[in-house]
Amino acid sequence: MRQIKWIILAFLVTFALQPGSIYAAGPAAQVGGQPGSTVYLPIIQNSLPLPPSDEAAQRITLPPGFEIRIFAQNLTGRPRFMAVGPDGQLYISLFGSGQIARLPDRNQDGLADSVEIVSSGLSGPHGIEFHDGWLYVAGIGSVVRLSGPDVNGAFSAPELVTNNIPGSGGHSTRTLHFGPDGKLYVSAGSSCNICVETDPRRAAILRFNPDGSIPADNPFSSDPDVKKQAVWAYGLRNSVDFLWSPSGDLWANHNGSDGLGDAIPPEEIVIPVQKGSSHGWPYCYTPMLGVNTSAEIRDTRLALPSGFTCEQAIPAQFTALAHSAPLGMTLGAGSLFPPEYRTSLYVAFHGSWNTNVIANYRDCKVERILLENGQPIGSETFATGWRPAGAKCGDATTWGRPADVIFGLKGEMFISDDKGGRVYRVIYRP
Ligand SMILES: [Ca+2]
Ligand SMILES: [Ca+2]
Ligand SMILES: [Ca+2]
């Protein structure tokens, strides 16, 4: 009897530790076939720690039931993209200082214990991801990887994976992710606001084997130009982040061009990336705000190449206000948010610096894109409050700017802030 109780208890504890499982107290079912032997189990709630109220809690507005706290602060060197390591700890790239930091929470109080620099001397590290015992880092001009962490938390020196990606100039952040096919995808933005690129790897998503070689099934793998061999998809002015949708499709965002006023082109938030295809830039853009059902239309500043029309470009399925500056994004699956929030897409908006009318200053915030049957149907603000009313997000008065958003292993959300030098942690606690 006692043994059975413990088995049931262990079962409930196990499941209570899974994201989203909340068990209230109450009489358990009869155990052991003995009439009347009701077993009362303890209250087991999957409640994540909530540190005391702080400046983030006071400034940032979230939907009811959500709580935000500063997880780490005084991060120098422009903290940008994050990844969760095999040790369960949070890692972040410090783009400006050439470093990767670990922000461990070993005592599990919801606050980073310290800032541990695990690698230095990197060239503009931005996108980071763990894969197969390695930490891959996308920097300016190369992807490198470090083995680790070892039992002491240490990493090897970086080794080159590939330098077949664009270097500095123009958009310089590089983002990488491994696809469900086990391949390494790297996005590289354009060298300019609007121009015809001479390097085919610009304004593109590239694809490599994990060792940096070119997969045979890349669309241009037999092209005489080794640079073009790496290209998976193009016409993506600056896809700062991308991911795979619930149905396994590659979705990228894209920061549109400047110079057409405050309202156009809309920022392309969900682009269903197609192998070997153009996604429009610099000739075309997705016209509709929100859910888009139209083909791309002309940006008439450049003449179309011979034989190319905007109907051939893959349009975005969902857009946001021009100059919102979508950066990191993630799906809510695996979060410890309420079920309706787990089927959403979350995007860090850096906010605008280049709109003219105050009413058009785009907010620096985290946007929630609502998905239905795996497709975007609308959006709403999830987290806001980093700037005073009427301020530009780059102004000195602005407290911060979200750069990336991911979920940790316990189902909590982390938001990086490359202006305020912070990482925030968001949990749901009704
Ligand atoms: Ca801690
Ligand atoms: Ca486009
Ligand atoms: Ca992401």
Side-chain angles (χ1 to χ4, degrees):
M1 182 65 197
R2 170 163 296 190
Q3 193 179 4
I4 292 171
K5 281 187 203 172
W6 280 111
I7 289 170
I8 291 173
L9 187 60
F11 176 83
L12 288 175
V13 167
T14 301
F15 274 79
L17 288 172
Q18 302 302 314
S21 304
I22 296 175
Y23 292 87
Q30 288 185 357
V31 179
Q34 297 176 23
S37 62
T38 301
V39 179
Y40 284 84
L41 294 166
I43 297 171
I44 302 171
Q45 285 197 334
N46 190 353
S47 57
L48 296 169
L50 180 65
S53 183
D54 61 12
E55 192 171 0
Q58 287 152 25
R59 284 178 176 267
I60 307 303
T61 304
L62 295 155
F66 289 91
E67 299 279 359
I68 187 168
R69 298 290 187 271
I70 299 169
F71 180 72
Q73 57 192 335
N74 302 320
L75 299 170
T76 56
R78 288 187 68 191
R80 288 283 288 196
F81 269 33
M82 300 176 284
V84 176
D87 54 359
Q89 307 297 354
L90 188 69
Y91 290 76
I92 189 163
S93 60
L94 303 176
F95 179 75
S97 58
Q99 297 169 313
I100 307 295
R102 174 170 51 223
L103 305 174
D105 181 16
R106 298 192 179 92
N107 64 354
Q108 301 188 37
D109 64 352
L111 302 168
D113 311 331
S114 57
V115 179
E116 301 175 358
I117 302 299
V118 301
S119 183
S120 298
L122 302 166
S123 175
H126 188 256
I128 57 174
E129 194 159 291
F130 287 87
H131 180 77
D132 207 15
W134 299 90
L135 171 59
Y136 281 75
V137 181
I140 298 168
S142 67
V143 174
V144 299
R145 64 182 181 184
L146 303 75
S147 72
D150 66 15
V151 289
N152 299 315
F155 286 80
S156 72
E159 70 170 44
L160 182 68
V161 174
T162 180
N163 56 13
N164 190 9
I165 71 170
S168 60
H171 296 112
S172 58
T173 63
R174 307 285 174 255
T175 298
L176 64 77
H177 293 295
F178 279 86
D181 57 1
K183 303 300 185 188
L184 169 64
Y185 292 76
V186 182
S187 64
S190 62
S191 66
C192 59
N193 176 41
I194 178 166
C195 65
V196 179
E197 298 283 2
T198 54
D199 183 340
R201 304 166 304 180
R202 283 282 188 174
I205 290 179
L206 315 174
R207 181 174 178 260
F208 303 93
N209 292 313
D211 65 0
S213 59
I214 302 291
D217 60 343
N218 267 19
F220 309 107
S221 62
S222 54
D223 196 279
D225 181 354
V226 69
K227 292 180 178 176
K228 193 165 182 185
Q229 291 174 11
V231 173
W232 182 253
Y234 58 99
L236 298 157
R237 180 174 173 275
N238 193 17
S239 290
V240 181
D241 206 5
F242 55 91
L243 48 74
W244 281 265
S245 77
S247 54
D249 299 320
L250 176 54
W251 283 358
N253 63 27
H254 155 105
N255 284 247
S257 61
D258 302 315
L260 293 178
D262 286 1
I264 58 173
E267 299 285 41
E268 299 179 12
I269 304 298
V270 175
I271 303 171
V273 174
Q274 302 297 310
K275 170 184 179 178
S277 294
S278 168
H279 297 75
W281 186 87
Y283 309 107
C284 319
Y285 63 87
T286 297
M288 295 172 66
L289 189 59
V291 176
N292 175 70
T293 55
S294 166
E296 295 228 310
I297 63 172
R298 288 277 288 120
D299 181 334
T300 55
R301 289 176 289 181
L302 291 179
L304 286 174
S306 155
F308 180 79
T309 68
C310 290
E311 286 71 33
Q312 294 168 35
I314 307 298
Q317 294 178 344
F318 195 82
T319 71
L321 292 167
H323 312 295
S324 294
L327 303 184
M329 60 182 189
T330 192
L331 291 163
S335 75
L336 200 58
F337 285 5
E340 64 271 27
Y341 283 87
R342 287 180 217 163
T343 54
S344 298
L345 173 71
Y346 298 86
V347 188
F349 282 6
H350 217 216
S352 67
W353 57 272
N354 48 5
T355 47
N356 299 306
V357 179
I358 290 178
N360 293 337
Y361 292 177
R362 307 305 182 210
D363 194 14
C364 22
K365 61 177 180 173
V366 175
E367 186 80 348
R368 174 190 178 202
I369 315 296
L370 304 162
L371 306 181
E372 193 172 278
N373 300 320
Q375 298 301 312
I377 58 163
S379 73
E380 62 186 36
T381 296
F382 179 73
T384 184
W386 277 276
R387 62 166 183 154
K392 286 187 180 179
C393 286
D395 285 355
T397 55
T398 298
W399 192 55
R401 296 176 94 174
D404 192 19
V405 53
I406 70 165
F407 286 98
L409 289 188
K410 298 192 189 79
E412 70 277 63
M413 174 186 276
F414 292 103
I415 302 167
S416 66
D417 171 355
D418 65 348
K419 183 174 193 299
R422 296 180 206 96
V423 172
Y424 312 90
R425 178 175 167 277
V426 177
I427 64 170
Y428 182 70
R429 192 182 245 208

